[in-house]
Amino acid sequence: MSSIQRLRLPFALSFVWLTAFCLPASASDFGCSGLENDPLVASVEGKEGYFYRVLADIRMQHQLSDHTARQLADVAKALEANGTTLIYVPIPTKSLTMPEYLPDRTFQLGFNYDIAKAAYDDALAKLRRNGVLTVDVLSALRSNDKDHPPFLKADFHWTAWGAAAAAREVAATIKSLPGSDTLQVARFETKATSRQQIISTMRRFLQASCVSSLPLAEMDSFQTTEVAVEGGNQLDIFGSDEQGGQVALVGTSFSDLAPANFAGFLSQEMQTPVSNYAVSGGNQFGSITSYITSAAFLEKRPRFLIWENPIYNNLGKFGDAPLRELAAAAANICEDVSTSALSTQSENLIDLGRPPEALTSPSVILADAGSENSRRATLRVALEGGDIIETQISRPARATSSGRYYFPFDVNSESVKSVQIVFDILTPETAGVSICHSASKKVN
């Protein structure tokens, strides 16, 4: 994308908000009013009952810095070094996928499809330049016809038709990669079940501003099952102990939406079981962090890890810590701190005292609560001058917790007086602390 286009993107986004309050809204087919200023889900009503969120669906830029792209590449490299290839799948916006239903109002607000497409392409190119294997599913989603729409009308999720199209593109990418011939082989069959309605918070919020009933958040649903082969062993779509490489899926509610059947379509297309660890309501990192920090991941790493994430989810929103945690967990280059250096001063606290020799900057402290019931930990670093630095990691309520937390440590150890870790729940018999380093800094 040219430098001129780069300058236009922030301006165009600002223009959307500046004009939102000075242009009259278009007439509504459902008696809706005030949607653009709704504090819960600011939206515009499109054609034939399609609705688009202002902040997410009709945006024309995506917050992805080169720094964040390099951090994601570090995660990919750490995974690859231990036999797992990361496949990153950014889901394009609804406006890019279904521009034919955008209302004229959208263009009055400043939306420009060409700019939005250039921003999308630029984000994918940036990831690829930094070494992240990224799948472009936009063309596949746009190939769906009117009778098989890729997205729901009054909700932001994709339909099963959209999930199937994306799965074909992702599967084709994986099948072209080294190691795909080592995957477990099984026969899968996908059948239509019935139309299913999903719980849609977006539709509920929109309906409060509309007189007539909005389109139901329902879709044609599908189910994928393994077809037993005579004389063969049946595999489990959610994981198997059979020989051969495995495929795991992490992501958001797009992958966790049962009627959309994304994991099932992937299994069907690749004829190999795909284990689905996706989490609804876990933000960008809830699912992948829960999986990569788990004992199950360390004990049996998948050959391919598919990470689905809507492109509007900013990977840098929470700073460097989440991606550094993933990179450290994926590399797993850690050394335990001797239990003699640990002291439990209270029920839920581990005191390392002065920092161990291995704790140099930059490194990562792995704090293991010894219990999967733990969902929160706080690193407390006391400095010689009297200042205290505290960092907290909390796991989303809907994500499974491993009770393991990776804290980036960037403090000069010579200025550190003490290091403590406070857990919400601690099991001293199985708890522990390790010092981890990046893949480029091997532990002797």
Side-chain angles (χ1 to χ4, degrees), residues 124 167 176 180 196 217 354 391:
L124 269 62
S176 69
S180 61
Q196 288 191 30
R354 296 194 67 84
T391 305

Side-chain angles (χ1 to χ4, degrees), residues 220-283:
D220 296 330
S221 63
F222 295 82
Q223 186 175 43
T224 300
T225 56
E226 188 212 348
V227 179
V229 180
E230 186 176 351
N233 294 323
Q234 186 162 343
L235 297 178
D236 182 359
I237 191 173
F238 297 106
S240 170
D241 293 328
E242 298 292 328
Q243 295 298 314
Q246 293 182 311
V247 179
L249 169 65
V250 293
T252 67
S253 54
F254 279 76
S255 296
D256 191 37
L257 195 63
N261 192 47
F262 186 45
F265 286 125
L266 288 168
S267 296
Q268 167 81 52
E269 292 294 330
M270 292 188 290
Q271 291 297 293
T272 192
V274 175
S275 300
N276 190 359
Y277 298 96
V279 173
S280 296
N283 70 50

Side-chain angles (χ1 to χ4, degrees), residues 129-188:
R129 282 198 306 270
N130 283 279
V132 180
L133 204 164
T134 307
V135 183
D136 183 355
V137 299
L138 177 57
S139 295
L141 291 173
R142 289 214 62 188
S143 67
N144 290 60
D145 57 39
K146 184 175 182 179
D147 294 329
H148 306 94
F151 280 90
L152 292 167
K153 290 191 171 184
D155 187 86
F156 62 87
H157 288 100
W158 60 14
T159 63
W161 300 111
R168 286 192 293 271
E169 196 68 29
V170 174
T173 298
I174 292 178
K175 288 190 287 189
S176 69
L177 297 174
S180 61
D181 57 347
T182 69
L183 294 176
Q184 299 176 32
V185 177
R187 287 183 57 196
F188 289 93

Side-chain angles (χ1 to χ4, degrees), residues 21-274:
F21 300 99
C22 59
L23 290 174
S26 303
S28 169
D29 291 336
F30 301 91
C32 303
S33 61
L35 291 181
E36 293 169 21
N37 300 319
D38 191 312
L40 298 175
V41 56
S43 305
V44 292
E45 180 182 337
K47 302 170 185 176
E48 299 186 26
Y50 281 95
F51 288 78
Y52 298 80
R53 295 168 297 172
V54 172
L55 276 178
D57 295 328
I58 60 172
R59 68 167 55 193
M60 292 183 293
Q61 65 171 338
H62 308 291
Q63 294 175 309
L64 177 66
S65 66
D66 283 314
H67 174 73
T68 299
R70 287 193 295 271
Q71 279 199 302
L72 182 54
D74 288 340
V75 176
K77 291 173 185 175
L79 287 166
E80 193 69 52
N82 289 281
T84 297
T85 298
L86 177 66
I87 312 293
Y88 190 64
V89 186
I91 306 302
T93 61
K94 193 173 183 180
S95 60
L96 278 179
T97 307
M98 308 184 75
E100 63 271 26
Y101 297 105
L102 287 170
D104 293 339
R105 175 65 174 161
T106 307
F107 307 106
Q108 293 173 349
L109 292 174
F111 179 78
N112 183 298
Y113 187 89
D114 292 336
I115 294 178
K117 177 64 164 57
Y120 170 82
D121 291 339
D122 185 58
L124 269 62
K126 186 178 296 183
L127 290 167
R128 289 167 174 167
R129 282 198 306 270
N130 283 279
V132 180
L133 204 164
T134 307
V135 183
D136 183 355
V137 299
L138 177 57
S139 295
L141 291 173
R142 289 214 62 188
S143 67
N144 290 60
D145 57 39
K146 184 175 182 179
D147 294 329
H148 306 94
F151 280 90
L152 292 167
K153 290 191 171 184
D155 187 86
F156 62 87
H157 288 100
W158 60 14
T159 63
W161 300 111
R168 286 192 293 271
E169 196 68 29
V170 174
T173 298
I174 292 178
K175 288 190 287 189
S176 69
L177 297 174
S180 61
D181 57 347
T182 69
L183 294 176
Q184 299 176 32
V185 177
R187 287 183 57 196
F188 289 93
E189 186 175 86
T190 300
K191 294 183 178 180
T193 53
S194 60
R195 286 187 67 80
Q196 288 191 30
Q197 187 172 339
I198 68 169
I199 297 174
S200 174
T201 302
M202 176 178 170
R203 182 183 180 276
R204 177 163 55 86
F205 289 158
L206 291 174
Q207 188 64 70
S209 300
C210 303
V211 176
S212 301
S213 180
L214 299 180
L216 295 175
E218 63 179 10
M219 68 180 79
D220 296 330
S221 63
F222 295 82
Q223 186 175 43
T224 300
T225 56
E226 188 212 348
V227 179
V229 180
E230 186 176 351
N233 294 323
Q234 186 162 343
L235 297 178
D236 182 359
I237 191 173
F238 297 106
S240 170
D241 293 328
E242 298 292 328
Q243 295 298 314
Q246 293 182 311
V247 179
L249 169 65
V250 293
T252 67
S253 54
F254 279 76
S255 296
D256 191 37
L257 195 63
N261 192 47
F262 186 45
F265 286 125
L266 288 168
S267 296
Q268 167 81 52
E269 292 294 330
M270 292 188 290
Q271 291 297 293
T272 192
V274 175

Side-chain angles (χ1 to χ4, degrees), residues 78-79 82 84 246 296-303 329-332:
L79 287 166
N82 289 281
T84 297
Q246 293 182 311
F297 173 80
L298 290 175
E299 291 168 2
K300 193 165 187 178
R301 296 175 182 244
R303 181 60 188 85
N332 195 35

Side-chain angles (χ1 to χ4, degrees), residues 414-435:
E414 295 180 357
S415 65
V416 176
K417 181 179 180 181
S418 66
V419 178
Q420 296 179 330
I421 302 154
V422 183
F423 300 89
D424 56 342
I425 297 173
L426 175 66
T427 305
E429 297 79 13
T430 51
V433 176
S434 302
I435 310 302

